[in-house]
Each structure stands twice: as C-alpha cells, then as structure tokens.
Amino acid sequence: ALPQGRALAERRALVMSAENKRMATVVHSTNNAVVIANPQGDIEWTNPAFARITGFTFEEAKGQKLLDLRNTQNADPVAYATMQYALQNGQDVRLQVHHTQRNGEDYWVDADIQILRDTAGAPSSIVAVETDITAEKRAAETLSMALMETAALMTTVTTHSIVSEADRAGTI
C-alpha cells in the first residue's frame, strides 16, 4: 500500500507541477499587468507587462506600496479613495484608473484587484490584474470632441444660415 500511495502522490505532484508551470507561462506572457502584494499592500512581484505598461521595473516596484507607486497628481482622487477603502476593508474592487507612467505619460487601466485569503479566511495576498485601456479612452475622448464640434457647427449653421429658393435659371 505504501508504494502505491507514494506513486499516486508523485503523479499528483507531477500534474500540479505541470499546471503551475502552465499558469506561470500565462501570467508571464499576458498583455495585462499582474501585481502581487502582501496584505499591507507592499509589492512583492510583477510580470513583464507591468513594466511595459507602467515604465517601472520589478526592481523599482518591489517593496513599494501598491497604491503609492502610481498615485500621482493626475490621479483620480475618487478612484484612489475607492481602492484604498476596499483594500483597508479586505474587499475586492474593480474600476478604471488613470495613472502616470514613470516617464510622465498618462495611461488608463481597468483594474481588477482581488484579496486572496488563507484557509482561516485572513488576507494572504493582494493580486491586481490591470488591462491597459488607454487607446479606448483616447478614442472615446476624440469621439466626444468630434461630437461637440459637430454640435457647435450645426448650431452655427442653424443660427446664421439663410435659406432661399431659386428657380431653374438661378433666380432667387
């Protein structure tokens, strides 16, 4: 019975190892930024997409507070207060957040922040998955500006146009 139990445990370990390897590959190759922090919000790990999106390398981010690293003067205070409240109260949160890259460029993310818990239910980690939505936000802003310009043009045309009728000879 002992050799069979050992063989079963070894097979399960191989399956779990393969599954962990596959999940690690996904996390490393995704276009989404992935950040893992301890329950106090200190960053412990980031994936390569985090560096690409934020401009901060893992070495620069490690040990920084999850909220402090990108809470800049351009940040939305309501979004940061929402995140801070959720994290302080052990709640998951999802929202769109305006950040500033290390080089000063603005960007937007759809952030999904989850609190992981141990078997006793206590917070063990914070995992943030952030999708860069900068292009979508800029496109929406461009569309909004175009619609406002069109509305202004239509108002001008309506207010200042003179409508007249002409016959086939062009006489008004």
Side-chain angles (χ1 to χ4, degrees), residues 31-105:
N31 286 325
N32 297 328
V34 179
V35 182
I36 299 175
N38 64 22
Q40 293 74 40
D42 302 314
I43 296 174
E44 295 180 335
W45 184 86
T46 65
N47 71 341
F50 174 85
R52 183 181 46 74
I53 292 170
T54 69
F56 291 100
T57 66
F58 167 67
E59 292 76 19
E60 292 168 321
K62 186 176 180 183
Q64 298 284 332
K65 292 287 186 195
L66 187 60
L67 294 181
D68 292 347
L69 183 64
R70 294 166 291 167
N71 189 2
T72 63
Q73 63 190 14
N74 295 331
D76 176 2
V78 174
Y80 275 89
T82 301
M83 284 191 298
Q84 189 170 32
Y85 178 84
L87 294 175
Q88 287 174 345
N89 291 286
Q91 300 172 350
D92 299 340
V93 64
R94 182 170 184 184
L95 68 167
Q96 294 182 351
V97 187
H98 180 217
H99 290 304
T100 303
Q101 292 177 329
R102 185 172 185 260
N103 66 6
E105 283 189 44

Side-chain angles (χ1 to χ4, degrees), residues 47-166:
N47 71 341
F50 174 85
R52 183 181 46 74
I53 292 170
T54 69
F56 291 100
T57 66
F58 167 67
E59 292 76 19
E60 292 168 321
K62 186 176 180 183
Q64 298 284 332
K65 292 287 186 195
L66 187 60
L67 294 181
D68 292 347
L69 183 64
R70 294 166 291 167
N71 189 2
T72 63
Q73 63 190 14
N74 295 331
D76 176 2
V78 174
Y80 275 89
T82 301
M83 284 191 298
Q84 189 170 32
Y85 178 84
L87 294 175
Q88 287 174 345
N89 291 286
Q91 300 172 350
D92 299 340
V93 64
R94 182 170 184 184
L95 68 167
Q96 294 182 351
V97 187
H98 180 217
H99 290 304
T100 303
Q101 292 177 329
R102 185 172 185 260
N103 66 6
E105 283 189 44
D106 291 339
Y107 69 102
W108 284 86
V109 294
D110 180 1
D112 185 6
I113 304 172
Q114 303 287 318
I115 309 295
L116 302 184
R117 300 183 181 282
D118 61 22
T119 54
S124 60
S125 298
I126 301 168
V127 176
V129 178
E130 300 178 338
T131 303
D132 185 350
I133 58 169
T134 305
E136 291 88 344
K137 285 288 191 177
R138 288 187 178 146
E141 186 176 302
T142 300
L143 178 60
S144 177
M145 293 296 289
L147 290 172
M148 286 192 304
E149 289 173 5
T150 300
L153 179 61
M154 289 306 297
T155 299
T156 301
V157 167
T158 303
T159 304
H160 300 290
S161 63
I162 299 173
V163 178
S164 57
E165 291 185 30

